[in-house]
Amino acid sequence: MKSRVMVQVADRRIEPDEHEVPPVGPKEALLRVEACGLCGSDVDQYRGNFAAKGIMRYPVIPGHEPVGRIAEIGAEAARSWGVGVGDRVALEPHLSCGRCALCLGGAYHNCRSLMPPGAPPCYGYTPRDVGHGLWGGYSEYIHLHERTMLHKLPESMPLALALLYQPIAAGIRWAVQVPRTAMGDTVLILGHGQRGLGAVVAAREAGAGTVIVTGTARSAYKLRLAEALGADHTIEADREDVVERVMAITGGRGVDVALDVVPGAASAVEDAIAGTRIGGTVVLSGIKAKDQVVALDVEAVIYKELALRGVYSQARDAYVEAFRMLEENKYRLERLHTHDAPCGAK
């Protein structure tokens, strides 16, 4: 049996192809993909930014946010994962060894030891010439490695809602769990993409007192959506001075937590540091363009005793909370799902 796939073979070049589906072993499974979410990192990958930075290489089947149904599963996998043929599941993208210090310490999403050098251990990024090659969500099928982390979804959850699991989980970890956002905190979210919007609902769910979101005038509808999801203030970063507005909102104190989820723009890091209070926390997740240089205000970091944290992805506790929020859906999260692209659409 062969799976239809979309393969990225070069910067800005994705081609249709077919790929042989390997046999399923006792600890493995085969997932028939129903849909795959589109992340901002998929855009960076398509443009060639990740290849230029050595994060991944071609050829690769993209797509790291897949939801689908189990088409075939080995007996040991069925026991360990607790799923069977026909069950709908969502995949965590990372593949970890389960034995290294990172895995044993709970940071399995940072494990790099499962795949050979130059092959990111991650669905959607592992090259096609590694192992069976059927690693990405832009495919009819994904062959599930025995180290796959997955989550069984309730049949009552609409597919369009389930596909938001990664941006919501990212918002939970990046805006709440890592900076330890507490009830009443003021949170600045720089960026109004899906992960920025996911951070809005996560901060609001955690009891943040004030949520501020930056974006651009050309995408003002995203700022309106941020407000609908719970943001108290929005700032058009291409028309306003972000730090001046933040200081006006906070009475000159600055925010407790600043999260940068802006891709490409180095100025967001500078605004985050300048707008955070003494003793506050700055969380960085926005990957910058290869020609962007961040002018880090080291003195501000020192004199304000800021905590700087980088975040790469999310782990199981964030996903579990994300699926709880999606099932409850008190924030009407389906508003984050804006477009569908049928298979083969151009």
Side-chain angles (χ1 to χ4, degrees), residues 90-114:
L91 303 188
E92 294 188 23
H94 304 288
L95 292 166
S96 58
C97 72
R99 299 181 294 273
C100 69
L102 287 168
C103 289
L104 295 175
Y108 66 88
H109 60 289
N110 283 320
C111 174
R112 303 289 192 274
S113 60
L114 190 65

mmCIF file of all heavy atoms in Angstrom, residues 90-114:
data_model
loop_
_atom_site.group_PDB
_atom_site.id
_atom_site.type_symbol
_atom_site.label_atom_id
_atom_site.label_comp_id
_atom_site.label_asym_id
_atom_site.label_seq_id
_atom_site.Cartn_x
_atom_site.Cartn_y
_atom_site.Cartn_z
ATOM 1 N N ALA A 90 -4.696 12.617 18.626
ATOM 2 C CA ALA A 90 -3.825 13.727 18.239
ATOM 3 C C ALA A 90 -2.415 13.382 18.682
ATOM 4 O O ALA A 90 -2.213 12.815 19.764
ATOM 5 C CB ALA A 90 -4.280 15.026 18.899
ATOM 6 N N LEU A 91 -1.439 13.733 17.854
ATOM 7 C CA LEU A 91 -0.044 13.396 18.152
ATOM 8 C C LEU A 91 0.685 14.570 18.785
ATOM 9 O O LEU A 91 0.527 15.716 18.370
ATOM 10 C CB LEU A 91 0.701 13.001 16.869
ATOM 11 C CG LEU A 91 0.165 11.844 16.035
ATOM 12 C CD1 LEU A 91 1.174 11.518 14.939
ATOM 13 C CD2 LEU A 91 -0.136 10.625 16.878
ATOM 14 N N GLU A 92 1.511 14.265 19.780
ATOM 15 C CA GLU A 92 2.545 15.211 20.160
ATOM 16 C C GLU A 92 3.661 15.062 19.127
ATOM 17 O O GLU A 92 3.975 13.947 18.710
ATOM 18 C CB GLU A 92 3.080 14.902 21.556
ATOM 19 C CG GLU A 92 2.054 15.107 22.659
ATOM 20 C CD GLU A 92 2.667 14.972 24.049
ATOM 21 O OE1 GLU A 92 3.901 15.160 24.177
ATOM 22 O OE2 GLU A 92 1.908 14.685 24.994
ATOM 23 N N PRO A 93 4.276 16.144 18.689
ATOM 24 C CA PRO A 93 5.231 16.030 17.585
ATOM 25 C C PRO A 93 6.551 15.359 17.953
ATOM 26 O O PRO A 93 7.206 14.774 17.094
ATOM 27 C CB PRO A 93 5.465 17.481 17.161
ATOM 28 C CG PRO A 93 5.109 18.289 18.356
ATOM 29 C CD PRO A 93 4.015 17.533 19.059
ATOM 30 N N HIS A 94 6.945 15.408 19.220
ATOM 31 C CA HIS A 94 8.301 14.996 19.575
ATOM 32 C C HIS A 94 8.422 13.496 19.797
ATOM 33 O O HIS A 94 7.539 12.853 20.352
ATOM 34 C CB HIS A 94 8.756 15.742 20.831
ATOM 35 C CG HIS A 94 8.677 17.221 20.680
ATOM 36 N ND1 HIS A 94 9.543 17.929 19.885
ATOM 37 C CD2 HIS A 94 7.795 18.119 21.165
ATOM 38 C CE1 HIS A 94 9.218 19.201 19.908
ATOM 39 N NE2 HIS A 94 8.162 19.342 20.664
ATOM 40 N N LEU A 95 9.549 12.969 19.368
ATOM 41 C CA LEU A 95 9.887 11.569 19.560
ATOM 42 C C LEU A 95 11.117 11.502 20.455
ATOM 43 O O LEU A 95 12.184 12.001 20.089
ATOM 44 C CB LEU A 95 10.170 10.891 18.214
ATOM 45 C CG LEU A 95 8.958 10.736 17.292
ATOM 46 C CD1 LEU A 95 9.408 10.388 15.881
ATOM 47 C CD2 LEU A 95 8.012 9.681 17.832
ATOM 48 N N SER A 96 10.975 10.927 21.631
ATOM 49 C CA SER A 96 12.053 10.923 22.607
ATOM 50 C C SER A 96 12.485 9.501 22.928
ATOM 51 O O SER A 96 11.733 8.543 22.731
ATOM 52 C CB SER A 96 11.600 11.630 23.890
ATOM 53 O OG SER A 96 10.445 10.986 24.420
ATOM 54 N N CYS A 97 13.686 9.366 23.475
ATOM 55 C CA CYS A 97 14.241 8.036 23.738
ATOM 56 C C CYS A 97 13.675 7.407 25.003
ATOM 57 O O CYS A 97 13.626 6.184 25.130
ATOM 58 C CB CYS A 97 15.759 8.114 23.816
ATOM 59 S SG CYS A 97 16.386 8.924 25.319
ATOM 60 N N GLY A 98 13.271 8.238 25.972
ATOM 61 C CA GLY A 98 12.731 7.728 27.229
ATOM 62 C C GLY A 98 13.767 7.284 28.229
ATOM 63 O O GLY A 98 13.416 6.826 29.330
ATOM 64 N N ARG A 99 15.058 7.427 27.911
ATOM 65 C CA ARG A 99 16.111 6.911 28.781
ATOM 66 C C ARG A 99 17.129 7.958 29.218
ATOM 67 O O ARG A 99 17.826 7.754 30.221
ATOM 68 C CB ARG A 99 16.860 5.779 28.077
ATOM 69 C CG ARG A 99 16.001 4.580 27.718
ATOM 70 C CD ARG A 99 16.814 3.492 27.039
ATOM 71 N NE ARG A 99 17.315 3.927 25.744
ATOM 72 C CZ ARG A 99 16.641 3.822 24.604
ATOM 73 N NH1 ARG A 99 15.427 3.289 24.601
ATOM 74 N NH2 ARG A 99 17.160 4.220 23.455
ATOM 75 N N CYS A 100 17.242 9.056 28.483
ATOM 76 C CA CYS A 100 18.265 10.054 28.793
ATOM 77 C C CYS A 100 17.842 10.910 29.993
ATOM 78 O O CYS A 100 16.714 10.829 30.486
ATOM 79 C CB CYS A 100 18.535 10.938 27.581
ATOM 80 S SG CYS A 100 17.173 12.045 27.139
ATOM 81 N N ALA A 101 18.779 11.747 30.460
ATOM 82 C CA ALA A 101 18.507 12.591 31.625
ATOM 83 C C ALA A 101 17.342 13.548 31.368
ATOM 84 O O ALA A 101 16.530 13.814 32.268
ATOM 85 C CB ALA A 101 19.765 13.377 31.990
ATOM 86 N N LEU A 102 17.242 14.069 30.137
ATOM 87 C CA LEU A 102 16.140 14.975 29.824
ATOM 88 C C LEU A 102 14.800 14.259 29.929
ATOM 89 O O LEU A 102 13.853 14.762 30.543
ATOM 90 C CB LEU A 102 16.324 15.549 28.417
ATOM 91 C CG LEU A 102 17.420 16.596 28.244
ATOM 92 C CD1 LEU A 102 17.674 16.853 26.765
ATOM 93 C CD2 LEU A 102 17.041 17.894 28.942
ATOM 94 N N CYS A 103 14.706 13.085 29.333
ATOM 95 C CA CYS A 103 13.458 12.321 29.377
ATOM 96 C C CYS A 103 13.095 11.943 30.808
ATOM 97 O O CYS A 103 11.945 12.126 31.239
ATOM 98 C CB CYS A 103 13.563 11.071 28.518
ATOM 99 S SG CYS A 103 13.585 11.382 26.737
ATOM 100 N N LEU A 104 14.058 11.430 31.542
ATOM 101 C CA LEU A 104 13.789 10.986 32.904
ATOM 102 C C LEU A 104 13.467 12.154 33.828
ATOM 103 O O LEU A 104 12.793 11.975 34.845
ATOM 104 C CB LEU A 104 14.986 10.198 33.443
ATOM 105 C CG LEU A 104 15.274 8.879 32.706
ATOM 106 C CD1 LEU A 104 16.538 8.238 33.242
ATOM 107 C CD2 LEU A 104 14.097 7.920 32.818
ATOM 108 N N GLY A 105 13.926 13.351 33.460
ATOM 109 C CA GLY A 105 13.635 14.539 34.257
ATOM 110 C C GLY A 105 12.349 15.230 33.860
ATOM 111 O O GLY A 105 12.010 16.265 34.436
ATOM 112 N N GLY A 106 11.634 14.697 32.876
ATOM 113 C CA GLY A 106 10.353 15.274 32.481
ATOM 114 C C GLY A 106 10.412 16.188 31.277
ATOM 115 O O GLY A 106 9.374 16.633 30.785
ATOM 116 N N ALA A 107 11.618 16.472 30.772
ATOM 117 C CA ALA A 107 11.764 17.366 29.612
ATOM 118 C C ALA A 107 11.936 16.552 28.346
ATOM 119 O O ALA A 107 12.819 16.823 27.530
ATOM 120 C CB ALA A 107 12.944 18.309 29.821
ATOM 121 N N TYR A 108 11.080 15.559 28.149
ATOM 122 C CA TYR A 108 11.242 14.654 27.003
ATOM 123 C C TYR A 108 11.115 15.383 25.674
ATOM 124 O O TYR A 108 11.655 14.938 24.662
ATOM 125 C CB TYR A 108 10.210 13.525 27.078
ATOM 126 C CG TYR A 108 8.774 13.959 26.923
ATOM 127 C CD1 TYR A 108 8.179 14.051 25.668
ATOM 128 C CD2 TYR A 108 8.004 14.275 28.037
ATOM 129 C CE1 TYR A 108 6.864 14.453 25.527
ATOM 130 C CE2 TYR A 108 6.690 14.675 27.901
ATOM 131 C CZ TYR A 108 6.119 14.764 26.646
ATOM 132 O OH TYR A 108 4.817 15.174 26.514
ATOM 133 N N HIS A 109 10.414 16.516 25.660
ATOM 134 C CA HIS A 109 10.255 17.252 24.401
ATOM 135 C C HIS A 109 11.566 17.888 23.943
ATOM 136 O O HIS A 109 11.653 18.350 22.797
ATOM 137 C CB HIS A 109 9.178 18.329 24.551
ATOM 138 C CG HIS A 109 9.481 19.349 25.614
ATOM 139 N ND1 HIS A 109 9.431 19.056 26.959
ATOM 140 C CD2 HIS A 109 9.854 20.644 25.528
ATOM 141 C CE1 HIS A 109 9.752 20.137 27.653
ATOM 142 N NE2 HIS A 109 10.018 21.109 26.803
ATOM 143 N N ASN A 110 12.568 17.911 24.805
ATOM 144 C CA ASN A 110 13.883 18.440 24.426
ATOM 145 C C ASN A 110 14.886 17.354 24.070
ATOM 146 O O ASN A 110 16.033 17.651 23.752
ATOM 147 C CB ASN A 110 14.458 19.291 25.567
ATOM 148 C CG ASN A 110 13.809 20.653 25.640
ATOM 149 O OD1 ASN A 110 13.545 21.265 24.614
ATOM 150 N ND2 ASN A 110 13.540 21.126 26.850
ATOM 151 N N CYS A 111 14.461 16.102 24.123
ATOM 152 C CA CYS A 111 15.358 14.992 23.803
ATOM 153 C C CYS A 111 15.756 15.041 22.328
ATOM 154 O O CYS A 111 14.923 15.250 21.451
ATOM 155 C CB CYS A 111 14.679 13.664 24.116
ATOM 156 S SG CYS A 111 15.614 12.197 23.622
ATOM 157 N N ARG A 112 17.042 14.829 22.056
ATOM 158 C CA ARG A 112 17.533 14.841 20.681
ATOM 159 C C ARG A 112 18.211 13.520 20.304
ATOM 160 O O ARG A 112 18.835 13.415 19.262
ATOM 161 C CB ARG A 112 18.557 15.972 20.488
ATOM 162 C CG ARG A 112 18.072 17.364 20.831
ATOM 163 C CD ARG A 112 17.064 17.892 19.815
ATOM 164 N NE ARG A 112 16.835 19.314 20.001
ATOM 165 C CZ ARG A 112 15.947 19.837 20.845
ATOM 166 N NH1 ARG A 112 15.202 19.030 21.583
ATOM 167 N NH2 ARG A 112 15.792 21.144 20.955
ATOM 168 N N SER A 113 18.094 12.506 21.152
ATOM 169 C CA SER A 113 18.937 11.325 21.001
ATOM 170 C C SER A 113 18.306 10.178 20.225
ATOM 171 O O SER A 113 18.975 9.193 19.947
ATOM 172 C CB SER A 113 19.357 10.816 22.385
ATOM 173 O OG SER A 113 18.228 10.470 23.163
ATOM 174 N N LEU A 114 17.029 10.276 19.850
ATOM 175 C CA LEU A 114 16.382 9.130 19.224
ATOM 176 C C LEU A 114 16.784 8.958 17.764
ATOM 177 O O LEU A 114 16.911 7.840 17.278
ATOM 178 C CB LEU A 114 14.859 9.272 19.322
ATOM 179 C CG LEU A 114 14.054 8.032 18.933
ATOM 180 C CD1 LEU A 114 14.331 6.895 19.902
ATOM 181 C CD2 LEU A 114 12.564 8.336 18.890
#
